[in-house]
Structure formats: C-alpha cells, structure tokens
C-alpha cells in the first residue's frame, strides 16, 4: 500500500532535512545561552566572593582596632591609678572620657581583689558603697584568670536582662611589688558594638552576626531581609572565647546582564522563526495530517491503555458504541461481544434484570445520580461483582450531545474491606467494654458484696428466730422483704454488667437519653464514692433520641471515667463531675466536664488518634472508639478547656446527637 507522502520521490528526505535545520539551530542557541549564563554566573560568584572576603577582613581589622584601642586605654588607666595619688579622680576622669568617645562601651567598673565594686561609671549607687559584682559565673572565671595571670583577659559571652549578649574585658591594677590591688572591668554589649562599629554601607550589602562554635547567635546587624548568597566566617579575637564573625552577602539587583541576554535571545529567536517561516508552506499539509493522527492516537492510547477504570459509551438509544480494555477485563467479555449490544446487556445479572433495566432508563433520561450508583454486574464466567458507575454526557467536537459515557469501578474488594473494618471496629468496641469492666472489677465486686452480705445477715437473723421458737410472721416478713430488696439490688448490678459487656450488632433505636445517663451514673457511682467525686446531672425527664443505647452508654462511661481520673490530683472539695445537656432545633449537645488537670495543647490534636494516650498504662483506644461511635450516630465529638473550673484548669468533652424522628 502506497501512502500519500511516498508519491513524490525524495520528498520525505527533503522535509526531514528542512526540519533538522531549525532543530539544530535551536540546539546551538540553547547551548550558547546555557554556556553564557554559566560563565556569567561563575564570574559573578567569584567577584562577590572576593569582595566579601575583602570587606570581612576590613571589618575584622576595624573591630580589632577599636577593641585594642580601648584595651590600651584601660591598661594606661590602670598604670595611672597605680602611680597617681588620687586614684578615684583619675578613674572617673578617664572613664568618662572613654564612655564619651566609645559609645560601644556600656559600663566601666573598678573592682577590688575580692570582687567588690569600688566605683563604676555610669553608676546609680554612691562610689563608697560596696556593691557585689553582677553577672553569671563566666565573669567570675574571667576575673580569677585575669587575677592569676596578671594580664588583660576577656570573659566568655553571657546574657543579661533583655536577653542581650555581653562580654567583659578585665585589666588588673598592679600595686607595689607587682601585687594586684584591683581590677578594671569594661562591659561591651555585642549588639551595641556592631551598631556603632559596623558602618551603614556595610549593612546595605551584608548581614553581620556574632556566633560561637555551636551556631549560638549573640548579636546581628543588617538592613536587608531574605536569604544570602554567600557567607564568610572568621574568628573574632579579641574577645576570643570561640566567638566568630559570620558575614552573609546579598546580591545587589543589576539588570544590565539580563537585558543583554534578553536582547540576544530575541535576536536569535527572530532568526530561528525566520528560518522556520521558509519551510512553513511546505510543511503545512503534512503537519496538519500528522497532528490529527497524533491527536487520535493519543486519545485512543489514553482511553484504552492508560486507564484502569472501565469506560463504556452508549448512544442516545442505549446501544453500546465503545468499551475500553479495562471494562472488557472487568466483565470478561471481548470488544466484539459488547460493542453493538442493546438491553438486556450480557453483563447484567439475571436476578436483578428489572433493577438494571430501570437504572438504564434513568440514565437515558438524564436523571442518573451525580455521585454515582452501585450495581451488581456479572462476569462472563457467571461470577458477580459490585460496580460503582458514574454517568456523564458524551459531547462531540461540535458540542452536540451524542450519548452517555460511563466510568465503572470494581468495588468488590473495597466493600469486603469495609465490612472487615466494620467487624474489627465492633470487636474493638467490645474489647474496650471488657477492658472497662476489668478496670472497674474491684469496685463492682465491692458494690455486689454489700447486698450479698446484707442477704446473709438477714438470713442468719431469720434462722436464729426460728431456732429460738419465738419467730412471729411479722418479724420474718420484714426480714424477708429486706432480703428481697437486696437480692433485686444485686441482680440489677449483675444485669447492668451483663448488658454492658454483651456483644451485639450496632443498631439505632428509640431510647430515653435520661435513662441512659442514669444507668451510666449507677454504673460508676461506686467508683465515684471511692475517689470522693461528686456527680452532678440535670437532665430533662423526657428526652427521646434515636441511638444504640449500649454504644451511647460506652461513650458516656468512658468520658466520665476519664474525667474522674483527671481529678486524681484535685482537692476533694472540687472533685465535681458535671453532665449537662443543651438542645437546639436540629441536635442535642451532651457535655461531660471536670475540674482536673486539663489537656496539654500539644496532646489536644492527637487526642482522638488510635493508640495515643497520656496515661502510663492506657491503651489509647477509648477516645478513638468514642469518636467512631458518635460519628456512627451522625454526630461530632470534641474537647475544650473548662472556663468555669474553680481550680483554673479542667476539660469539657462535648458530643452531639442529631434530632431525628424515632
């Protein structure tokens, strides 16, 4: 078979050469641009690096000059104080001069060998009053070292009020016989040092920081925000002590290079487009044909090979006009068996033929559910599977409605997994109830022992009356009635435990919320008395809800026990567990509040995650199960702080139940 393009000898090769030329030109253009940009970027980085190092060395020399100058002045002051008679006057004159000419100095102190302040500028206390030297232990270590070596020494950096970092220069005062008669201390705030010694033009390009070996930041100065391009670190000595100067550079905007590059790109692009224009007419027909072929091929490939979702198209009469391989694999039928089929479809289950045909008519009428619908399909081998179907209009290139396109998902495994998850959730709820009963076993045994002991006591009394022969029917009647009352009480306790731990399918049914709360209080009141917790509840007598009574009791009991445990450290007078109910037009809001220790903010977001617990011996499933139960009832469960707690802490758990007709 001869193609249209092969009818002209040599034409394909000529077109290939024409197409190769612009491609080759574009490749050369891109290569040149990338090389140029790389070279410019490399040169710019090297220049910035050299300028950064040069400026950092200048800054470091400037800072050293000022610090060394201040150190020399302080040493000269110590010598003058040793030789001149009026040391205090000399100290004040020289210190005032240094403070005026060196604004980076915060304070100059004159200390005795036992670290007492003799005088200080600026000072708020009389010079003759002895003041204990201030500051952390690092100053004391520096003082001892300067005293020991007899030479100037800088302290380690330390923080004072306002979280401002300081260093202190200590210069010994040598007396007669080279004995140290005192110490001069000069206090540098590092922020002030940078503010006064780093010029404004420096901070227009750089960010200056003083750090240590552990990246601890002590001071910084800059006028630029953002991330720097390069940084250079140099030791800051003096004052030493591991301090470093870290200077980060910021690239200054300069659009001259970018403008040159844009101009070059425009010129080169114009040349490329001019060359392409020469072959445009020759390639026009072939390009259109190839574009149409590529579009059709891409559509078919995407529909047939890429999708794992079954696709089925029907016309307006309901006849199948297209199926993709995923749909054929899903049903087991071939394309020839499905295309052209009309109802009843071969993949419809015979036992649901009427339902399938009714849904077919609903789709053709344009009334298919927008969220999809489920159907039971049949494979070619007779196996049934659950399918989720989404129907949408099939629109052609002219915007005309020509049929219906369906997306079909096999959800058999998903439904099986959902059923398994539901069963596991029920088992977990049952396990949680057993755990709760295990934790309350001691309290329930004590509560059950009281009526049994009373029954035994009344029975012994009746036997004694009968043995003495003095028993009267009226005496025995009173004792037997008490025995019956205690037996009913014991039976009620056992029945309540049995109802709580029995395993049953979740089922929403009409029940009185007040009765549910009363049963929960009866369950837990023995444990509440044991822990000196008072339970307050104000519920309306008639409040019907549509709920699973057993699951609702499980939620309330879990929240009540959590509240009691949270009040273990609360004074007994404030151990109050309050149950409240608020109603609106559409829902009920039940709250369980305590005056306990509260919930930390970092644990609040993870409180309802399975197996997360704040208790040392907790399992971490109680609140997760409670939320699942409330969501099963179409409600919400959340927690908040208790603003009315007399202890200043406490928690309120709230959950809602929708008001539905029972």
């Amino acid at each position: 078979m001869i193609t249209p393009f092969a009818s002209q000898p040599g034409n394909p090769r000529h077109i290939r050469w024409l197409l190769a030329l612009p491609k080759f030109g574009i490749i050369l253009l891109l290569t040149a641009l990338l090389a140029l940009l790389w070279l410019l970027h490399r040169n710019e980085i090297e220049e910035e690096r050299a300028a950064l190092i040069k400026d950092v060395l200048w800054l470091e020399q400037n800072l050293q000059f000022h610090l060394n100058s201040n150190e020399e002045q302080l040493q000269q002051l110590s010598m003058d104080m040793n030789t001149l008679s009026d040391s205090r006057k000399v100290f004040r004159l020289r210190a005032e001069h240094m403070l005026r000419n060196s604004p980076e100095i915060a304070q100059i102190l004159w200390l005795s060998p036992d670290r007492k302040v003799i005088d200080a500028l600026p000072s708020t206390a009389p010079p003759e009053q002895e003041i204990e030297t201030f500051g952390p232990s690092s100053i004391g270590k520096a003082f001892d070292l300067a005293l020991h070596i007899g030479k100037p020494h800088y302290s380690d950096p330390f923080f004072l009020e306002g979280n401002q970092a300081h260093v202190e220069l200590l210069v010994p005062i040598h007396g007669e016989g080279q004995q140290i008669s005192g110490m001069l201390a000069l206090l540098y705030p590092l922020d002030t040092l940078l503010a006064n010694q780093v010029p404004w033009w420096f901070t227009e390009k750089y960010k200056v920081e003083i750090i240590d070996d552990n990246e601890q930041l002590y001071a910084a100065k800059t006028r630029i925000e953002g991330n720097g391009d390069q940084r250079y670190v140099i030791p800051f000595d003096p004052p030493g002590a591991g301090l470093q100067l870290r200077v980060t550079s910021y690239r200054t905007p300069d659009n001259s290079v970018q403008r040159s590059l844009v101009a070059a790109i425009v010129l080169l692009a114009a040349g490329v487009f001019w060359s392409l224009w020469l072959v445009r007419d020759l390639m026009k027909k072939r390009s259109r044909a190839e574009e149409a072929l590529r579009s059709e091929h891409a559509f078919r490939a995407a529909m047939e090979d890429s999708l794992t979702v079954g696709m089925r198209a029907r016309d307006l009469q309901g006849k199948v006009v297209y199926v993709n391989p995923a749909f054929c694999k899903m049903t087991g039928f071939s394309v020839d068996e499905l295309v052209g089929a009309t109802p009843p479809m071969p993949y419809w289950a015979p036992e649901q033929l009427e339902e399938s045909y009714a849904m077919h008519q609903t789709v053709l009428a344009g009334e298919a559910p927008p969220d999809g619908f489920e159907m039971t399909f049949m494979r070619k081998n007779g196996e049934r599977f659950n399918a989720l179907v989404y129907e949408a209009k099939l629109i052609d290139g002219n915007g005309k409605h020509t049929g219906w396109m369906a997306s079909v998902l096999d959800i058999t495994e998903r439904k099986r997994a959902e059923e398994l998850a539901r069963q596991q959730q029920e088992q977990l709820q049952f396990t949680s109830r057993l755990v709760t009963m295990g934790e309350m076993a001691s309290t329930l045994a004590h509560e059950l022992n009281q009526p049994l002991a009373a029954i035994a006591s009344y029975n012994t009394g009746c036997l004694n009356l009968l043995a003495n022969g003095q028993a009267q029917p009226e005496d025995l009647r009173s004792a037997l009635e008490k025995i019956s009352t205690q037996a009913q009480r014991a039976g009620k306790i056992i029945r309540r435990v049995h109802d709580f731990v029995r395993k049953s399918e979740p089922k929403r049914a009409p029940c009185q919320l007040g009765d549910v709360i009363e049963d929960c209080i009866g369950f837990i009141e023995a444990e509440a008395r044991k822990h000196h917790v008072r339970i307050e509840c104000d519920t309306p007598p008639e409040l019907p809800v549509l709920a699973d009574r057993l699951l609702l009791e499980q939620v309330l009991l879990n929240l009540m026990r959590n509240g009691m445990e949270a009040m273990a450290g609360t004074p007994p007078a404030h151990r109050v567990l309050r149950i409240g109910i608020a109603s609106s037009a559409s829902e009920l809001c039940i709250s369980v509040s305590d005056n306990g220790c509260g919930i930390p903010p970092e644990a609040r977001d993870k409180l309802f995650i399975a197996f997360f617990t704040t208790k040392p011996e907790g399992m971490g499933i109680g609140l997760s199960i409670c939320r699942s139960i409330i969501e099963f009832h179409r409600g919400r469960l959340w927690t908040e702080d208790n603003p009315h707690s007399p202890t200043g802490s406490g928690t309120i758990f709230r959950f809602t139940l929708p008001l539905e007709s029972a």
Side-chain angles (χ1 to χ4, degrees):
M1 181 177 180
I2 301 175
T3 62
F5 294 106
S7 60
Q8 300 178 5
N11 189 44
R13 179 177 297 179
H14 181 62
I15 292 177
R16 283 197 297 271
W17 275 107
L18 290 177
L19 290 174
L21 287 176
K23 292 179 180 177
F24 184 68
I26 291 174
I27 292 174
L28 290 178
L29 173 63
L30 292 176
T31 304
L33 287 175
L34 291 175
L36 178 61
L37 290 174
W38 181 78
L39 289 173
L40 290 175
H41 182 66
R42 181 178 178 183
N43 291 336
E44 186 178 359
I45 290 177
E46 291 178 353
E47 291 176 0
E48 288 181 356
R49 183 69 176 176
L52 172 64
I53 295 175
K54 180 180 178 181
D55 290 340
V56 171
L57 293 177
W58 176 87
L59 177 63
E60 188 256 348
Q61 291 177 359
N62 184 55
L63 290 174
Q64 283 187 354
F65 173 78
H66 283 280
L67 293 177
N68 291 334
S69 176
N70 292 336
E71 182 179 343
E72 291 174 359
Q73 293 184 53
L74 206 62
Q75 286 181 309
Q76 184 64 41
L77 175 59
S78 68
M79 295 173 58
D80 292 344
M81 290 174 64
N82 184 38
T83 57
L84 299 178
S85 58
D86 194 350
S87 300
R88 188 179 299 274
K89 183 178 180 180
V90 172
F91 171 79
R92 284 194 162 267
L93 288 175
R94 295 287 183 85
E96 289 178 357
H97 177 74
M98 290 182 67
L99 289 172
R100 283 196 303 270
N101 292 282
S102 301
E104 67 274 9
I105 301 175
Q107 191 175 26
I108 302 176
L109 301 97
W110 177 11
L111 308 174
S112 64
D114 56 354
R115 302 185 193 176
K116 300 295 183 178
V117 176
I118 301 174
D119 202 352
L121 283 178
S123 175
T124 57
E128 64 272 6
Q129 180 181 355
E130 292 187 353
I131 306 173
E132 290 289 340
T133 184
F134 62 91
S137 59
S138 58
I139 299 179
K141 294 178 182 178
F143 187 96
D144 294 338
L145 185 58
L147 195 66
H148 177 71
I149 64 177
K151 295 181 180 180
H153 183 69
Y154 282 89
S155 70
D156 292 341
F158 57 92
F159 291 92
L160 293 181
E161 53 273 357
N163 202 26
Q164 188 177 21
H166 295 71
V167 293
E168 195 169 61
L169 171 62
L170 297 166
V171 176
I173 302 174
H174 295 279
E176 296 181 358
Q178 293 301 317
Q179 293 293 327
I180 296 177
S181 60
M183 188 76 64
L184 292 177
L186 192 150
L187 187 64
Y188 286 111
L190 295 181
D191 280 337
T192 307
L193 179 63
L194 292 184
N196 286 277
Q197 298 303 326
V198 179
W200 65 268
W201 59 265
F202 200 90
T203 57
E204 293 290 340
K205 298 191 299 181
Y206 305 109
K207 178 179 181 181
V208 183
E209 298 173 302
I210 299 179
I211 60 173
D212 60 10
D213 296 334
N214 298 321
E215 297 291 328
Q216 170 72 41
L217 179 65
Y218 292 98
K221 182 179 181 182
T222 185
R223 292 189 178 184
I224 303 177
E225 297 182 356
N227 297 320
D229 297 319
Q230 299 188 52
R231 60 177 49 178
Y232 189 72
V233 180
I234 191 171
F236 187 26
D237 189 10
L243 291 181
Q244 298 174 336
L245 278 176
R246 182 171 66 187
V247 180
T248 306
S249 68
Y250 293 85
R251 181 174 297 174
T252 56
D254 185 4
N255 296 327
S256 59
V257 176
Q258 287 84 344
R259 286 195 295 268
S260 301
L261 287 177
V262 170
I265 291 173
V266 170
L267 291 176
L268 291 174
V272 171
F273 284 120
W274 178 75
S275 64
L276 290 176
W277 183 265
L278 296 178
V279 295
R280 177 179 177 275
D281 292 337
L282 183 63
M283 298 170 54
K284 191 173 182 180
K285 292 182 180 180
R286 187 183 183 101
S287 297
R288 287 179 179 176
E290 290 179 352
E291 182 64 27
L293 181 61
R294 282 195 298 269
S295 299
E296 184 67 21
H297 181 267
F299 173 76
R300 291 296 179 184
M303 291 291 291
E304 296 180 3
D305 301 331
S306 301
L307 293 179
T308 58
V309 177
M311 304 296 295
R312 177 199 62 194
R314 293 180 291 180
D315 60 16
L316 295 176
Q317 287 71 40
K319 182 176 68 174
V320 177
V321 296
Y322 168 80
V323 289
N324 71 337
F327 188 81
C328 295
K329 183 179 179 181
M330 189 181 300
T331 60
F333 294 96
S334 65
V335 175
D336 296 336
E337 291 174 313
L338 293 176
V339 174
T342 57
M345 301 298 179
Y347 47 82
W348 285 0
E351 66 273 11
Q352 295 187 1
L353 201 59
E354 294 183 1
E355 293 86 345
S356 300
Y357 188 78
M359 183 55 68
H360 173 80
Q361 292 297 116
T362 301
V363 172
L364 294 184
E367 299 176 356
D371 297 331
F373 55 91
E374 294 185 14
M375 291 186 67
T376 300
F377 282 173
M378 181 181 67
R379 307 188 201 276
K380 190 174 182 179
N381 60 5
E383 180 185 355
R384 271 64 170 173
F385 67 95
N386 297 315
L388 180 60
V389 183
Y390 295 91
E391 292 280 358
K393 289 183 179 181
L394 188 61
I395 308 298
D396 64 7
N398 298 322
K400 183 180 178 182
H401 179 204
T402 59
W404 301 92
M405 176 63 74
S407 302
V408 183
L409 300 173
D410 185 352
I411 59 172
T412 305
E413 291 299 327
R414 191 179 79 181
K415 292 182 72 67
R416 187 179 293 115
E418 290 175 353
E419 177 62 22
L420 180 61
R422 186 189 64 81
Q423 294 176 1
Q424 291 176 344
Q425 182 70 14
E426 293 177 7
Q427 184 64 34
L428 192 61
Q429 293 172 3
F430 178 66
T431 304
S432 176
R433 292 198 295 272
L434 291 180
V435 170
T436 301
M437 285 297 97
E439 294 173 349
M440 297 176 62
S442 175
T443 303
L444 291 174
H446 176 74
E447 193 73 7
L448 189 61
N449 187 54
Q450 291 181 353
L452 293 178
I455 290 173
S457 176
Y458 291 138
N459 184 63
T460 301
C462 291
L463 291 176
N464 290 336
L465 290 175
L466 292 173
N468 293 334
Q470 300 176 357
Q472 298 297 327
E474 291 75 10
D475 298 333
L476 294 178
R477 183 186 304 276
S478 175
L480 292 175
E481 287 176 352
K482 294 180 179 179
I483 289 175
S484 176
T485 301
Q486 296 299 324
Q488 291 176 3
R489 179 185 174 190
K492 186 176 181 181
I493 295 173
I494 295 174
R495 184 169 59 257
R496 185 181 293 135
V497 173
H498 175 265
D499 291 341
F500 186 75
V501 300
R502 67 185 174 90
K503 187 175 181 180
S504 61
E505 295 289 330
K507 183 179 180 181
R508 301 170 69 203
C511 62
Q512 292 292 335
L513 183 59
D515 295 342
V516 175
I517 296 176
E518 183 180 353
D519 286 350
C520 291
I521 294 176
F523 234 137
I524 207 170
E525 61 181 354
E527 187 174 355
R529 289 195 301 270
K530 179 180 177 181
H531 294 89
H532 308 288
V533 176
R534 186 170 76 256
I535 300 177
E536 296 181 357
C537 179
D538 185 14
T539 59
E542 296 291 334
L543 202 59
V545 292
L546 192 63
D548 186 304
R549 183 188 183 107
L550 182 61
L551 295 181
L552 203 55
E553 288 181 356
Q554 184 174 354
V555 172
L556 282 168
L557 191 60
N558 192 297
L559 297 180
M560 293 166 69
R561 294 188 72 248
N562 284 347
M564 290 172 54
E565 292 174 358
M567 291 188 290
T570 303
H574 297 308
R575 294 180 187 176
V576 179
L577 187 70
R578 184 172 289 102
I579 302 172
I581 300 176
S583 61
S584 64
S586 59
E587 63 182 12
L588 293 175
C589 182
I590 298 91
S591 63
V592 179
S593 58
D594 62 68
N595 299 327
C597 57
I599 300 174
E602 62 272 11
R604 193 180 298 274
D605 294 336
K606 300 182 287 185
L607 201 59
F608 298 99
I609 299 177
F611 305 110
F612 172 79
T613 179
T614 57
K615 304 175 185 177
E617 300 178 355
M619 296 178 62
I621 62 173
L623 290 177
S624 176
I625 291 176
C626 289
R627 171 166 280 186
S628 300
I629 292 173
I630 296 303
E631 290 177 350
F632 167 75
H633 288 82
R634 301 185 182 92
R636 297 176 296 113
L637 172 63
W638 71 95
T639 181
E640 57 189 42
D641 294 330
N642 187 357
H644 305 296
S645 173
T647 62
S649 61
T651 305
I652 302 177
F653 281 89
R654 301 184 191 274
F655 65 90
T656 61
L657 294 175
L659 288 175
E660 302 172 298
S661 46

